[in-house]
Amino acid sequence: MARITPRKGLLNITPYKAGDAKIDGFDRVIKLASNESPLGPSPKAVEAIKNRTDSGLQLYPDPTCRELRQAIGEIHGLKPEQIICSAGSEELLHLLAKGYATDGDEVIYCQYGFIAYPITIYAAGATPVMVQEDNFTANVGAILAAVTPKTKIVNLANPNNPTGTYLAKSEVARLRQGLRDDILLVLDAAYAEYVAQDDYDAGFDLVDNGMENTIVTRTFSKIYGLAGLRVGWAYGPKSVLDILHRIRGTFNVGTLSQAAAIAAVRDVDHVAKAKAHNSKWMPIMSQTLENLGMTVTASQGNFILVHFAGGPDQATAADQYLRSKGIIVRPVGNYDLAGALRITLGTDCENEALCAAMSSFFS
Ligand SMILES: *Cc1c(COP(=O)(O)O)cnc(C)c1O
């Protein structure tokens, strides 16, 4: 009997497993599993949504996100015509893979790189090529060595999730310089706003270098606290944006999402507050957990990768123990990091609860 069959490669995809949001028996949990903002969105973004719900929801949203691109352009000093908006930046990662790689093409990503990359690559029908990292950090030399005549795209999360490590501006420039001009470099800067290193740069300059082969993706899901609204954007060459526009969903960013994102991007004080909160807790959390015997990978994001001396068994036991206290963190066995947990920095109270629970786990 003839059967319908999915496209080649799709069954290689391990479906994405989101961080849990509930624990049986708990009315409320402390969720430190998905790198969401503990401060939530700007009150101005919430206000903007309320103002929009009164009328107009029967109408399709602006398919070009004109006002939102204008606002992003103003705040970041970018040309609105080189900005594209999307339903979360993950949509852009899919569109880029689909737009520039197909059967037989290779797409490079890093060993502990964001788990969405292999999914987008298989979904496009292309072949993922995973490159070894060095001390949980992307290795430019190794990436360049992995390039073949079939390479079409290199994906780099900078800073990366789940490791929190980053590459300096000079390293990213060296990567771009070492890649052939006909290889698209996708710089995923979902955590750019959190970075406090002078030598970091999200990569807008590389987009402007004239070769039309670099794009930078950004998101409203992390520091802006709007993960529930699904808004991402990218700054890229017009020629690449033209391809993305051809294949994206026409009305991919909803009316309320656009309204909230416009207010959120303009509220630079709220972003600064969220960054300050993160910068305050990053050393405290890292030090507290290291004092308990864990190894913490230095992170530029709003989360830390915590390695257990006792390996996968201990990491699993710690995860279970935290759950018994109503705290959800992220196991990262799907990244081949079963001996570690990824912990998102939360509110003051949540961070204190996490540290207290870890302390009692080890006592
Ligand atoms: C969270 C995250 C994203 C953003 O996803 P959205 O679809 O914008 O919510 C992109 N890249 C990385 C590395 C992330 O961690």
Side-chain angles (χ1 to χ4, degrees):
M1 195 173 66
R3 282 168 162 273
I4 59 165
T5 51
R7 263 186 331 107
K8 208 181 109 217
L10 298 189
L11 294 177
N12 292 329
I13 294 174
T14 308
Y16 183 84
K17 193 178 168 300
D20 288 339
K22 286 202 177 81
I23 305 176
D24 285 346
F26 283 87
D27 292 337
R28 284 190 64 174
V29 296
I30 293 176
K31 189 186 179 211
L32 304 174
S34 298
N35 299 348
E36 295 144 335
S37 173
L39 271 58
S42 156
K44 291 174 183 164
V46 177
E47 194 56 35
I49 293 174
K50 287 185 181 149
N51 292 340
R52 283 310 299 260
T53 50
D54 291 342
S55 73
L57 293 187
Q58 74 280 17
L59 305 175
Y60 279 108
D62 171 10
T64 69
C65 295
R66 192 186 52 80
E67 226 185 303
L68 175 54
R69 288 184 299 107
Q70 190 75 40
I72 293 169
E74 272 171 39
I75 296 299
H76 291 274
L78 303 171
K79 293 189 211 87
E81 59 276 21
Q82 280 185 247
I83 295 170
I84 183 171
C85 298
S86 58
S89 55
E90 192 189 0
E91 181 189 25
L92 289 169
L93 301 174
H94 272 287
L95 294 175
L96 287 162
K98 205 159 127 186
Y100 289 92
T102 186
D103 198 14
D105 294 335
E106 294 175 355
V107 180
I108 290 176
Y109 70 105
C110 297
Q111 186 178 7
Y112 302 115
F114 187 38
I115 204 90
Y117 303 140
I119 297 177
T120 64
I121 300 162
Y122 280 127
T127 305
V129 175
M130 188 180 89
V131 174
Q132 292 297 113
E133 297 193 2
D134 192 10
N135 198 20
F136 302 107
T137 307
N139 179 332
V140 170
I143 295 172
L144 294 176
V147 169
T148 77
K150 292 179 179 172
T151 305
K152 297 297 286 279
I153 303 175
V154 172
N155 284 309
L156 179 74
N158 195 28
N160 182 54
N161 167 21
T163 55
T165 57
Y166 80 109
L167 289 187
K169 179 176 182 169
S170 57
E171 277 296 279
V172 180
R174 184 164 81 87
L175 172 61
R176 179 65 270 179
Q177 232 152 43
L179 291 173
R180 288 197 316 271
D181 288 343
D182 64 346
I183 295 174
L184 176 66
L185 177 60
V186 179
L187 297 172
D188 174 352
Y191 300 95
E193 296 87 351
Y194 283 111
V195 183
Q197 301 288 326
D198 290 341
D199 62 355
Y200 172 80
D201 188 83
F204 295 148
D205 288 356
L206 291 173
V207 175
D208 294 332
N209 77 357
M211 301 309 298
E212 306 201 352
N213 53 15
T214 304
I215 187 163
V216 178
T217 64
R218 305 286 291 254
T219 185
F220 282 92
S221 300
K222 302 290 157 55
I223 206 165
Y224 292 97
L226 291 172
L229 291 184
R230 313 304 304 126
V231 192
W233 59 278
Y235 178 67
K238 279 192 204 160
S239 54
V240 175
L241 267 45
D242 172 64
I243 295 302
L244 301 179
H245 281 304
R246 286 168 197 256
I247 59 178
R248 73 177 167 88
T250 310
F251 303 103
N252 54 350
V253 187
T255 303
L256 301 182
S257 300
Q258 292 188 35
I262 291 164
V265 77
R266 292 194 188 284
D267 192 350
V268 292
D269 290 345
H270 185 76
V271 175
K273 216 160 112 184
K275 181 174 179 174
H277 174 81
N278 196 66
S279 300
K280 176 187 117 183
W281 275 103
M282 182 60 75
I284 300 174
M285 290 278 273
S286 303
Q287 196 57 57
T288 304
L289 300 183
E290 293 222 311
N291 289 348
L292 292 169
M294 288 161 267
T295 306
V296 178
T297 301
S299 171
Q300 301 304 320
N302 63 336
F303 55 88
I304 43 178
L305 186 65
V306 175
H307 308 264
F308 289 78
D313 289 349
Q314 195 178 38
T316 304
D319 183 43
Q320 289 307 317
Y321 182 79
L322 293 173
R323 282 173 170 267
S324 77
K325 301 284 179 199
I327 302 172
I328 305 175
V329 298
R330 191 63 158 266
V332 277
N334 55 340
Y335 284 91
D336 205 18
L337 290 167
L341 294 173
R342 192 196 67 197
I343 301 172
T344 306
L345 305 194
T347 61
D348 292 348
C349 285
E350 290 172 337
N351 294 337
E352 281 156 15
L354 184 279
C355 290
M358 278 292 200
S359 168
S360 59
F361 171 74
F362 278 100
S363 65

